[in-house]
Amino acid sequence: MTTDQFSVAGQTVIVTGSSSGIGRSIVERFAEDGANVVVTSRSQENIEPVADAINDRASDESEDGEESDYGRAIAVECDVTDREAVEALREATIEAFGPVDVLVNNAGASFVADFGDISPNGWKTIVDINLHGTYHCTQVVGEGMREADGGRIINMASVAGQRGSTGMSHYGAAKAAVINFTTSLATNWAEDGIRVNCIAPGLVATEGVRSQMGIDEDEGGIDRTEADRRIGRPEEIADATQFLASPASSYLNGETITVKGVPRLDE
Ligand code: NAD
C-alpha cells in the first residue's frame, strides 16, 4: 500500500492564522511532510517563533550538507481583513517559494455573547475576520492559482456554521456563509483546476477555545485513540487539511467535512 497520494511535499502553502492552535498545527504538519509554508497572522512576534522552529528542524534534518526533505518557512505579518496586507502576503510568498499551490483560510475569531448584547461593531468584527478575511485571501491568492496550473483552497468553518450557536450567533452566521461560499466557489473555479473544500471542526483544544469559551482542557490530555470524544486535538484537523490539500482528495470538490467526534443522538 502506498501513502504517496496523501503527500503535500514540494507544495507552496499559505495558512492564515498560523501563530497558534489549529493553524500552527497545520504549518508544522505540512512542513514535516516537505511543503514550504507561510506562517502568517496579525503579529510578527507571534509568527516568527513558529517559522524559526520549522526552519531549525529543517536544518537539524539536513545531513552532511545535503538538503533535508523537511519544508522551509517564512513569517509574514498579515491581518486578513486588510486587502493591501493580503496582497503583500501573496507577493512575499511568491518571492520566497514561487506560485501558491494551497491556501488554507484558517484565521478566525469569536467571542461568547447573547445575541441582544452583540454591538454593531462586535458583529461586524466577527464577520470581517471569518467571512471577509476568507473573501480577501481567496480572491487575491486564488487569482494567481487561476493564472497558473490551479490549486487547492481549504476553508475553516465550524459546526456552529452548520447548526447555529446560541452564544455565538455572529460567528455561526459568518461560518455558515463560509460553508456556502465553498460550494459556490468550487463550481466557479473548477474549470481553472482549483478544488475548494471546507472543514467544520467541533470543539478542538486550542488557545482560542481556552480564551473564548473558558474551557481549559489541555490537548496533551486528549487521547486520539478514544472514539467517544467531544473534544479534539489540533493535529486531527491538520490531518483532514492535509487530506484535502493532497491528491488523495482529487474527487472531492465543494464539500464540507465535519470533524467533531461522536454524534450525540439525544441533542
Ligand atoms: P486560535 O485563536 O488558537 O487561532 C486563531 C488564529 O487566527 C491566530 O493565529 C490568530 O492570531 C489568527 N487571527 C485572528 N484574527 C486574525 C486576523 N484578523 N488576521 C489574521 N489572523 C488572525 O483559534 P483556533 O481554535 O486554532 O481556530 C482556528 C480556526 O478554526 C478558526 O477559523 C476557528 O474559527 C476554527 N474553529 C476552531 C474550533 C475550536 O474548537 N478550536 C472549532 C471550530 C472552528
Side-chain angles (χ1 to χ4, degrees), residues 17 19-20 22 42 78-80 106 157 171 175 201-202 204 206 208-209:
S19 63
S20 65
I22 291 170
R42 286 162 302 179
C78 173
D79 183 329
V80 294
N106 169 77
Y171 174 77
K175 292 297 197 186
V204 178
T206 65
V209 155

Side-chain angles (χ1 to χ4, degrees), residues 6 8 29 45 84 122 191 195-196 204 211 217 226 248 266:
F6 292 92
V8 290
R29 160 63 53 74
E45 93 183 289
E84 284 182 10
E191 63 184 21
R195 287 193 293 115
V196 190
V204 178
S211 66
E217 181 109 36
E226 208 176 281
D266 52 351

Side-chain angles (χ1 to χ4, degrees), residues 41-54:
S41 79
R42 286 162 302 179
S43 126
Q44 194 70 21
E45 93 183 289
N46 290 338
I47 50 180
E48 252 163 26
V50 179
D52 288 349
I54 289 170

